[in-house]
Amino acid sequence: MISSSSKWIKHLSTDWLWLRNHCTTVKKTKQAHAFLLRNRLFDENLAVSKLISFLAISESGKLDYARKIFTQIENPDMFIWNTMIRGYARSINPSEAISFYYLMVQSGVVADNYTYPFVLTACARLAAPELGRRFHSETVKIGLESDVFVLNSLIQMYANCRFLDVARRLFDGNPLRDVVTWNVMIGAYIDRGIYEQAFNWFEEMRQLDYIQPDSVTLLHLVSACTQLGNLEQGRLLHFYSKELALDTNLRLCNAILDMYCKCGDLESAMEVFDSMPERDLLSWTSLLSGLTNSGHFIEALHFFGQMQSVNIRPDEITLVTVLSACAQTGALDQGKYIHLLIDRYKVNRDIILETALVDMYAKCGNINFSLQVFNKMRVKNVFTWNTMIGGLAMHGHGQQAMALFERMKQEGSMPDDVTFIAFLCACSHAGLVKEGIEVFKLMQEVYLIKPRMEHYGCMVDLLCRARLVDDALAFIENMPIKANAVLWATLLGACRIGGHPELAEKVGKRVIELEPDSDGRYVQLSNLYAGIHRWDEAMKIRNQMTLKKIEKTPGYSWIELNGMIHQFIAGDRAHTQTEEIYMMVEEMYQRVKLAGGHITGTTQVLFDIDEEEKEHSLFLHSEKLAIAFGLMSTAPGSPIRIVKNLRVCNDCHSFVKVISKVFNREIIARDRNRFHHFREGKCSCMDFW
Ligand code: ZN
Ligand code: ZN
């Protein structure tokens, strides 16, 4: 010992400094290990503890290796024992921490105020309150109950093991308690959903002059506001964090950002995001999902581009969010790019991410890519199957959807209620009436699924599309639950085309009674009257709408060009190329006229309808503007893909059919319910939509 100590002293000045900063990777630690052995310094606890510290505690350490070194140490000191116990307490194997503790006691080393917090952490993680209680009495026996570090760990242990009352007893009125103690209690109560007490403690803390809430306190409370959707309280906490100059703390900023996003205050979220001195993956992901969830898809894609430019590497959660923005806007190019990124960054391809890819390709109009991704998936869950069947339904591939349903059963996946909505929808879009009725029976009799409103809706839709207005009416009247406005509206649509004006009028009034605040219903009824030239009635409905101050949902169409999304609304003149776009619309009209014109007002639409108003000049409907822009900006003969948030109106549908022929273009349009593949004057929906 003496000889090695003198060597140690010799090396002290240079090697000690070298060693202190050297152990930053496993590889460097190996070098240090070899150095110590070579210079016979391995017996020096102070030296070897540097190696153990890094290996056992650092995120990039290696606990097994620490253990290997540990077994070679003859007389490990207190610090080394504690380090090993600490490392295991946080590992996937917390019970090893307890084993080390007993080994330590056996070897004659007495536990100190650092040891207990680590073993108590292990107890908390093992959910072992009995063991925890034993350690608790040990701490009392050796007089450590007056150590705040021990107290906090005891409270944390009891709270984690669901003994909130014991935790509370230790906390209440304890003269030792510091800010960590308060935070532990506040965090524990929020975890259990006891929000009020947590906020009371916060108020109490603010009254005390010897203690001040810190970033952890606020972090707990802000996340409580997020869970509760309490924007007002969240905002107060945000102000308070500024007061305490904690608003630069990254974790707290992320929590505040997430709170604003989830409470729907995007404006404040943007302000927080802009003012953050640094941003990590979590900040970007919160913002992107906030934007996507509130319907700001184009902005979400824009920010994703920015995130790329500052070299933040996305993970699977970010990419699922961005894929859903692509799916919503039909941004196929960007969707494909994300598919590439997944491979490039070797992102973890979990079932959610792959299902999001299937959904994106289906919604962006590329059902073949969607099927390709789907077929390559090794594991699928019911959401995956539902997404694929729903995708086929949107594209009107009824038979394929039926085949996929069979495959789903063969592969042992259990269909759920959503599977049947997708399946019935597929039957409806493909006009498979007989099959649809059978599926509806199968669902109830074999799968024992009680139909919900959505299932009844699909059935009404199915019958209406087949022009079986009387059957649909009988079906609605015999339903065990009261039909909602959507179902009646579907019937109303069928009456319009079926030439049942009296029934239509009755149903139309019924629909408005059921949904007096829905803009779509008024527009629908007014369009109905306009369609049968009863202008006074149409005007009356319109006036009612104005009186009730009902806002109309504006129709949007999107088209992606070179990875950029262009958005149009009816009569839009905001685009930088407005002049050319309107010239193109003019040309479209002339060419359609030369080709013999297009037929308006024959077929009508079913399903849950929000149509753009007829009073807007049809000339300027948003999809026409998007298609005009597509025609002038893409190569002749290439397909044009557009997406619309509402249903395509009748006139536009028939107009676009002719456009596809005279311009010799395939036009793939997704509206609220389904895809229309326009080609050579025909549409894949066979004029049912
Ligand atoms: Zn239209
Ligand atoms: Zn169509």
Side-chain angles (χ1 to χ4, degrees):
M1 259 324 249
I2 290 164
S3 71
S4 83
S5 279
S6 60
K7 260 183 206 143
W8 170 242
I9 289 159
K10 204 173 74 198
H11 283 282
L12 194 65
S13 54
T14 47
D15 297 334
W16 168 242
L17 276 174
W18 171 79
L19 192 62
R20 197 173 61 179
N21 302 317
H22 190 72
C23 298
T24 49
T25 63
V26 173
K27 201 176 153 199
K28 284 182 162 181
T29 310
K30 269 187 188 156
Q31 290 170 358
H33 187 188
F35 171 84
L36 291 182
L37 290 172
R38 212 169 38 236
N39 294 287
R40 299 175 188 227
L41 286 169
F42 190 76
D43 290 337
E44 288 303 331
N45 274 333
L46 196 56
V48 86
S49 67
K50 287 289 138 199
L51 275 57
I52 301 251
S53 279
F54 168 75
L55 293 170
I57 294 167
S58 164
E59 293 275 334
S60 49
K62 212 173 171 191
L63 201 48
D64 290 349
Y65 186 23
R67 188 183 193 127
K68 211 173 116 193
I69 295 182
F70 180 84
T71 54
Q72 296 166 0
I73 307 171
E74 222 170 297
N75 291 307
D77 63 12
M78 182 87 237
F79 180 83
I80 294 177
W81 278 108
N82 280 347
T83 308
M84 287 308 290
I85 294 172
R86 180 176 170 192
Y88 275 110
R90 310 183 328 168
S91 74
I92 49 165
N93 236 338
S95 61
E96 282 296 299
I98 310 291
S99 308
F100 264 87
Y101 168 80
Y102 285 122
L103 278 175
M104 180 181 92
V105 174
Q106 274 168 24
S107 78
V109 176
V110 182
D112 66 1
N113 59 332
Y114 288 103
T115 321
Y116 284 103
F118 302 143
V119 286
L120 287 167
T121 302
C123 293
R125 295 196 50 221
L126 290 163
E130 283 313 313
L131 195 58
R133 221 188 287 273
R134 225 182 300 159
F135 287 123
H136 184 183
S137 43
E138 273 182 37
T139 59
V140 175
K141 235 182 279 166
I142 56 177
L144 280 178
E145 83 270 41
S146 57
D147 182 284
V148 68
F149 203 31
V150 173
L151 172 74
N152 291 343
S153 311
L154 279 169
I155 292 181
Q156 182 81 71
M157 184 275 296
Y158 282 117
N160 276 25
C161 296
R162 300 188 159 259
F163 285 93
L164 269 196
D165 46 341
V166 186
R168 180 81 191 256
R169 270 204 299 278
L170 283 171
F171 172 77
D172 277 338
N174 197 318
L176 285 178
R177 57 191 190 183
D178 64 2
V179 65
V180 178
T181 329
W182 288 85
N183 289 347
V184 168
M185 284 310 281
I186 289 175
Y189 271 62
I190 287 172
D191 277 351
R192 288 293 122 75
I194 314 171
Y195 301 107
E196 211 184 314
Q197 181 59 59
F199 280 99
N200 288 345
W201 273 323
F202 171 62
E203 286 308 323
E204 208 179 309
M205 258 177 122
R206 289 179 59 185
Q207 310 295 324
L208 300 171
D209 44 7
Y210 58 90
I211 213 143
Q212 200 175 40
D214 65 3
S215 63
V216 178
T217 325
L218 293 180
L219 199 63
H220 285 311
L221 295 165
V222 168
S223 78
C225 292
T226 311
Q227 288 162 37
L228 292 166
N230 189 341
L231 180 60
E232 215 176 305
Q233 184 82 47
R235 208 187 293 281
L236 288 176
L237 290 168
H238 182 201
F239 290 141
Y240 189 62
S241 77
K242 284 185 192 166
E243 231 172 79
L244 295 183
L246 291 170
D247 61 329
T248 50
N249 177 296
L250 179 62
R251 281 183 65 204
L252 182 56
C253 277
N254 279 344
I256 293 171
L257 174 65
D258 193 48
M259 180 274 298
Y260 280 127
C261 285
K262 297 223 168 95
C263 293
D265 184 352
L266 260 293
E267 213 175 296
S268 302
M270 286 304 312
E271 271 171 38
V272 172
F273 185 81
D274 285 337
S275 67
M276 283 170 78
E278 54 168 336
R279 305 179 187 107
D280 63 1
L281 176 62
L282 201 62
S283 334
W284 286 94
T285 306
S286 291
L287 181 71
L288 291 175
S289 66
L291 288 167
T292 305
N293 291 336
S294 56
H296 297 83
F297 309 118
I298 297 176
E299 289 85 347
L301 292 175
H302 166 76
F303 275 102
F304 180 64
Q306 285 204 351
M307 177 180 163
Q308 295 284 102
S309 66
V310 293
N311 288 322
I312 301 258
R313 196 184 250 231
D315 67 358
E316 64 271 23
I317 300 167
T318 328
L319 294 180
V320 166
T321 307
V322 186
L323 280 173
S324 107
C326 292
Q328 293 298 329
T329 48
L332 182 61
D333 288 347
Q334 295 217 43
K336 277 185 188 160
Y337 171 67
I338 289 162
H339 196 169
L340 279 178
L341 284 185
I342 293 172
D343 295 332
R344 187 191 298 164
Y345 290 147
K346 298 193 172 55
V347 176
N348 175 28
R349 292 181 72 133
D350 61 10
I351 208 165
I352 302 172
L353 181 59
E354 296 207 304
T355 303
L357 272 174
V358 171
D359 188 49
M360 180 276 294
Y361 279 125
K363 292 213 170 108
C364 290
N366 202 323
I367 194 73
N368 290 332
F369 276 15
S370 177
L371 279 163
Q372 268 175 33
V373 177
F374 177 81
N375 287 327
K376 274 193 203 149
M377 283 175 73
R378 267 173 290 162
V379 215
K380 305 179 183 86
N381 62 17
V382 67
F383 298 109
T384 320
W385 288 99
N386 293 352
T387 303
M388 196 66 248
I389 295 175
L392 289 167
M394 276 191 112
H395 286 264
H397 299 319
Q399 298 291 354
Q400 266 180 281
M402 288 177 81
L404 201 67
F405 181 75
E406 288 304 315
R407 222 178 104 193
M408 178 178 182
K409 286 194 293 184
Q410 278 162 20
E411 293 190 19
S413 234
M414 189 68 179
D416 66 3
D417 54 335
V418 180
T419 317
F420 282 99
I421 294 175
F423 197 0
L424 287 169
C425 194
C427 292
S428 181
H429 283 317
L432 304 168
V433 179
K434 206 172 84 239
E435 292 83 347
I437 292 171
E438 271 165 30
V439 171
F440 191 61
K441 250 199 221 150
L442 179 84
M443 169 179 104
Q444 297 174 77
E445 288 167 9
V446 179
Y447 291 93
L448 307 175
I449 293 171
K450 224 172 122 191
R452 283 191 279 125
M453 194 60 85
E454 285 89 339
H455 299 101
Y456 288 113
C458 289
M459 287 308 289
V460 171
D461 188 59
L462 183 83
L463 295 168
C464 285
R465 267 169 217 276
R467 314 284 198 268
L468 300 167
V469 174
D470 295 333
D471 291 338
L473 180 63
F475 185 87
I476 289 181
E477 283 174 338
N478 289 320
M479 275 168 51
I481 50 175
K482 227 174 129 203
N484 67 7
V486 178
L487 270 64
W488 286 108
T490 308
L491 183 61
L492 173 60
C495 294
R496 271 163 82 182
I497 25 166
H500 305 273
E502 278 142 44
L503 183 60
E505 194 178 349
K506 237 168 68 191
V507 173
K509 286 184 177 157
R510 183 82 193 251
V511 166
I512 288 186
E513 273 167 36
L514 283 168
E515 261 187 16
D517 300 320
S518 155
D519 60 324
R521 307 304 172 213
Y522 288 87
V523 174
Q524 197 184 10
L525 189 59
S526 129
N527 284 351
L528 167 84
Y529 284 125
I532 52 173
H533 305 291
R534 288 172 58 186
W535 306 110
D536 313 350
E537 297 288 337
M539 272 313 285
K540 232 159 82 187
I541 299 289
R542 206 140 287 285
N543 290 340
Q544 272 184 30
M545 241 180 124
T546 326
L547 271 176
K548 290 194 177 174
K549 296 199 173 72
I550 290 169
E551 299 253 337
K552 288 153 270 175
T553 312
Y556 287 107
S557 292
W558 294 290
I559 180 166
E560 186 190 44
L561 201 75
N562 305 323
M564 274 269 291
I565 311 275
H566 299 259
Q567 173 175 294
F568 296 91
I569 56 171
D572 201 343
R573 302 196 73 90
H575 198 277
T576 48
Q577 284 169 276
T578 293
E579 288 306 315
E580 288 122 295
I581 292 170
Y582 278 81
M583 270 163 64
M584 185 44 112
V585 173
E586 196 69 51
E587 186 187 332
M588 281 155 70
Y589 267 91
Q590 280 173 15
R591 291 234 229 158
V592 166
K593 211 166 147 194
L594 280 175
H598 72 289
I599 317 142
T600 57
T602 45
T603 14
Q604 280 295 343
V605 179
L606 314 171
F607 219 94
D608 179 18
I609 312 163
D610 272 340
E611 55 189 78
E612 252 174 292
E613 287 184 86
K614 291 264 194 302
E615 75 172 20
H616 263 304
S617 167
L618 295 171
F619 188 72
L620 301 172
H621 270 181
S622 59
E623 58 268 55
K624 284 181 183 147
L625 298 176
I627 290 171
F629 182 65
L631 281 172
M632 57 186 244
S633 323
T634 57
S638 60
I640 294 172
R641 294 168 193 279
I642 64 156
V643 171
K644 178 160 194 196
N645 66 335
L646 304 180
R647 193 186 67 86
V648 180
C649 87
N650 232 15
D651 296 85
C652 289
H653 193 267
S654 119
F655 184 80
V656 178
K657 281 201 290 186
V658 186
I659 290 288
S660 73
K661 188 169 178 171
V662 296
F663 283 86
N664 190 26
R665 292 282 196 125
E666 189 184 352
I667 298 169
I668 300 139
R670 187 182 99 206
D671 73 2
R672 217 178 100 171
N673 298 318
R674 62 166 297 142
F675 271 98
H676 302 267
H677 291 257
F678 297 95
R679 191 186 292 170
E680 292 180 15
K682 290 198 187 94
C683 180
S684 63
C685 73
M686 312 290 281
D687 300 337
F688 289 112
W689 79 97

